[in-house]
Amino acid sequence: MVCMENIKQLCYDNKIILAPMVRINTLPMRLLALDYGADIVYTEELIDHRLIRCYRKVNETLQSIDYIDKSDATVVFRTCSREKPYVVLQIGTSDPERAAKAAQVVEQDVAGIDINMGCPKDFSLKGGMGAALLFNPDKACAILSAVVSAVKIPVTCKIRVLEDIDDTVALCKKLAVTGVAAIGIHGRTIKERPIHPNRNHFIKAISEALNIPVIANGGSKEIKVFEDIIKFKNVTGCSSVMIARTAEKNCSIFKKDGKLELFTVIRDYLHHAVDYDNVAPNSKYCIQNMLQNIQETEQGRLFLESTSLQQICDLWELGDYCRQKQKKMNYLRFEERDVACN
Ligand code: FNR
């Protein structure tokens, strides 16, 4: 198997990966996963139209790079130098030209590009994106070929399996010819939900048929401890494994020496959220998904009432840390503005 590690290209062989998750995989969660041992971290899916509307800004205050939507000034993608060798940006697209343009917009700040070919949501399907591409292989291949030609970094795609194992293998062979560096496979069909068993034997057959790395996905229900990740890798015969829901609940699943207690994970998450000034609704959403039914406790009730990052930090004894950081950031922003005016 060809691995490009020696020329400093991201290599997808023998890796444990944070799978893409909308609203969860913003910068704090990606950094947390890297802290705990993930080898590669995917962003949430970002739609091509939106990326193309962005301009790039070096944020001196946060030491981050921000991609800002020109139409509404929102930060669409925030990244930093620490994650650059490991971050893969996932694009939602239905068009080769737009996909290539979107990939070029972010190319200099990411290690890889992924094309979402598995999202079963109405929004994606109606727009011809996500899993719609599974049923339009010519379009899927045209998108991958266009992106592979447009950028110098590796390109991957993430798919769901089809009803039939042979059809799925044939589709993957077709996708592999475009020059993608790896294929991520969620072992459920577009109609199947997380309660359905993951079709690990489909992933195994694909892995045996392709000569590029295959990344197994869909195993979270059976992944409770680190060793389960290795079991999933062995059962699917894959090069690499990609984890979503188990990591969403407790990101320390990536730690080889065992998971951490949830409140420690929340505090570690909050440090990154404060350091990169992550917006409060997004930070709250991520913590809510970690807390699950703990939200019914007194601390959970106070958490649900919180509206600012400061209030959330107060609940996990990080109030002073947040106050001091925000004070420093405001000072730096003031200085930056002052320099710009003079
Ligand atoms: C997802 N998933 C997903 N997949 C994708 O390709 N792009 C995305 O943006 C998202 N967003 C997303 C959000 C949330 C909250 C969840 C739980 C899942 C699907 C995910 O990457 C993965 O394929 C499935 O969850 C199956 O893997 P696990 O959960 O069994 O490890």
Side-chain angles (χ1 to χ4, degrees):
M1 198 164 288
V2 182
C3 181
M4 314 280 271
E5 211 143 50
N6 53 342
I7 55 166
K8 297 256 179 288
Q9 281 249 10
L10 187 60
C11 169
Y12 293 85
D13 202 15
N14 202 21
K15 298 288 187 284
I16 299 178
I17 301 169
L18 175 69
M21 284 183 280
V22 163
R23 288 193 74 195
I24 299 292
N25 289 23
T26 46
L27 182 57
M29 187 63 81
R30 300 195 302 266
L31 292 176
L32 192 64
L34 289 174
D35 288 346
Y36 292 150
D39 299 304
I40 298 175
V41 290
Y42 276 52
T43 67
E44 59 181 332
E45 177 194 51
L46 296 167
I47 305 300
D48 55 6
H49 285 291
R50 199 135 192 249
L51 285 167
I52 292 166
R53 279 203 307 266
C54 284
Y55 68 92
R56 178 183 190 268
K57 182 177 187 289
V58 177
N59 186 327
E60 302 286 356
T61 307
L62 300 178
Q63 297 289 298
S64 66
I65 291 155
D66 297 346
Y67 284 86
I68 301 169
D69 189 329
K70 285 174 205 152
S71 70
D72 59 9
T74 53
V75 177
V76 172
F77 173 51
R78 173 163 286 161
T79 185
C80 64
S81 55
R82 174 168 170 226
E83 71 165 355
K84 188 180 168 189
Y86 317 106
V87 66
V88 174
L89 184 135
Q90 189 187 59
I91 301 177
T93 187
S94 64
D95 179 75
E97 204 179 315
R98 267 202 322 270
K101 252 192 223 166
Q104 284 172 334
V105 167
V106 292
E107 179 180 5
Q108 65 177 301
D109 294 309
V110 297
I113 295 289
D114 183 73
I115 303 297
N116 186 343
M117 296 191 175
C119 181
K121 299 242 166 78
D122 261 7
F123 163 79
S124 286
L125 298 180
K126 283 185 185 143
M129 301 185 291
L133 293 168
L134 299 176
F135 307 99
N136 192 348
D138 289 341
K139 171 72 81 67
C141 288
I143 290 172
L144 294 177
S145 300
V147 181
V148 168
S149 312
V151 296
K152 292 187 187 70
I153 52 177
V155 178
T156 56
C157 62
K158 176 168 172 279
I159 69 161
R160 278 180 176 246
V161 296
L162 304 174
E163 289 290 345
D164 180 79
I165 191 163
D166 295 333
D167 290 347
T168 316
V169 172
L171 172 68
C172 289
K173 281 186 174 169
K174 209 168 168 184
L175 297 173
V177 172
T178 62
V180 285
I183 302 186
I185 320 274
H186 179 181
R188 294 187 180 84
T189 67
I190 179 170
K191 290 195 193 120
E192 288 171 337
R193 302 279 73 95
I195 53 150
H196 294 105
N198 204 50
R199 301 185 187 207
N200 292 342
H201 58 296
F202 278 47
I203 304 179
K204 191 163 199 284
I206 297 162
S207 185
E208 282 163 3
L210 298 192
N211 58 4
I212 55 168
V214 170
I215 306 165
N217 175 240
S220 268
K221 217 161 60 163
E222 281 80 41
I223 298 175
K224 308 274 184 254
V225 292
F226 184 84
E227 289 68 30
D228 296 333
I229 301 177
I230 309 303
K231 274 188 210 157
F232 184 50
K233 182 173 188 277
N234 292 338
V235 164
T236 54
C238 272
S239 304
S240 294
V241 172
M242 182 184 254
I243 304 161
R245 286 163 301 147
T246 298
E248 176 191 27
K249 291 182 197 125
N250 186 331
C251 192
S252 67
I253 187 68
F254 293 109
K255 275 176 79 65
K256 284 195 177 79
D257 53 353
K259 273 198 292 193
L260 298 172
E261 189 256 333
L262 189 61
F263 278 17
T264 306
V265 177
I266 292 176
R267 286 169 59 88
D268 289 348
Y269 172 85
L270 279 170
H271 273 107
H272 290 307
V274 169
D275 289 353
Y276 286 99
D277 203 19
N278 199 48
V279 290
N282 181 256
S283 306
K284 185 169 175 178
Y285 178 76
C286 292
I287 296 171
Q288 241 168 326
N289 283 292
M290 297 184 213
L291 284 174
Q292 297 179 58
N293 42 13
I294 307 174
Q295 286 175 66
E296 283 143 32
T297 62
E298 178 57 11
Q299 186 163 8
R301 191 186 60 74
L302 289 170
F303 167 71
L304 287 177
E305 286 169 6
S306 65
T307 55
S308 68
L309 201 51
Q310 181 65 59
Q311 284 169 333
I312 302 172
C313 284
D314 284 336
L315 292 171
W316 274 279
E317 293 154 15
L318 286 172
D320 285 345
Y321 182 76
C322 184
R323 238 179 312 276
Q324 277 161 22
K325 274 275 174 180
Q326 292 195 337
K327 203 169 146 192
K328 192 173 163 203
M329 280 175 207
N330 286 336
Y331 175 75
L332 289 171
R333 279 195 195 104
F334 184 73
E335 275 212 320
E336 235 184 292
R337 227 173 302 147
D338 228 23
V339 170
C341 290
N342 286 328

